[in-house]
Amino acid sequence: MAESFDLAKIHQGGGLDSEFEYDSEADRRREKRNDLVPPKKKASEKITNKRHVEEEYSKEEWKNQRFHVLSMDAFARHKKFINDYILYYSGSKADFKRDSSKDKRDIDVIKEHHRFLWNEEDDPDETWEKRLAKKYYDKLFKEYCITDLSRYKENKIAMRWRIEKEVVDGNGQFSCGNKKCKETEGLRSWEVNFGYMEHGEKKNALVKLRLCPDCSYKLNYHHRKDKSQHKKQKTEEMQSDKDSSLDETFKKPPDQSTSQKPDSVEDKSIWSGPAKLPDEKSREEEFDEYFEDMFL
């Protein structure tokens, strides 16, 4: 029985080693198996790890939101905050609607403070609006003007300076300066005294235009009309003066003293016969007179 027990013990140990060696080998294998199985954690350790994960997640989410907010412009950021406020605390967007009646673009500011001509008295550094308008004015080309003759019959003509694109295309110099005309033949230069109202003050400026014959007629429509009316009025006055003088002539009674007066002696001598010619000198007499003058 003792021998059989020893054999079984040998087979279970896996060899003929000593009892001390068997225990150490078994412990080593047991530790190896235990290393493969994760150790059980305590309840307090589980709570600590969950909080750590939540903190890390919140930090990462905060970084993403911060990056998203910084990438937006001021107005988009404002809208996001308003939407978040309405989402969390309820309310209506009408309560946060911005008043856009006083909004102005750059072009609106330029139109409001634009000047056809800037003088030394005008101070562009007074406000940023004037500085913007002066900066736009400096980029204009002030040799020829572009005009709008659509209301020429009302004697309302608009003019402005040319921009860079119009100078490159030749508008107003090599083609008609009318805004709605592209004619290039028969152009004529005009120097016009342009009167305009600017900021409640009446001003004048001498400008140059290049116009085709049709647009030149429109430009001088009222001037020619006034000239023709003046000429017609003057002709009528002259005709009335002539008619009045003729009426006075025909209405004046004839002067009996002058009409029945006999011809004077001088009139009779003139019309009585041919005029008497002076006596003609002979050739010898002319020579004698000539030599007499020489020897005196």
Side-chain angles (χ1 to χ4, degrees), residues 29-42:
R29 291 179 180 177
R30 192 181 301 110
E31 290 178 359
K32 189 175 182 180
R33 288 195 301 269
N34 292 336
D35 292 340
L36 298 175
V37 179
K40 293 183 179 182
K41 299 179 181 179
K42 298 180 181 179

Side-chain angles (χ1 to χ4, degrees), residues 69 175 194:
V69 170
S175 63
F194 176 48

Side-chain angles (χ1 to χ4, degrees), residues 67-112:
F67 177 78
H68 179 63
V69 170
L70 292 177
S71 64
M72 294 188 296
D73 58 284
F75 183 63
R77 194 181 306 121
H78 172 74
K79 288 199 302 182
K80 180 184 182 305
F81 291 155
I82 293 297
N83 292 333
D84 294 344
Y85 181 86
I86 294 172
L87 180 64
Y88 297 143
Y89 298 100
S90 71
S92 176
K93 287 187 177 181
D95 300 335
F96 300 94
K97 189 174 182 180
R98 189 173 57 88
D99 184 14
S100 59
S101 60
K102 296 183 180 180
D103 290 353
K104 291 182 181 180
R105 301 173 297 170
D106 289 347
I107 189 64
D108 298 329
V109 175
I110 290 172
K111 287 180 180 179
E112 184 178 352

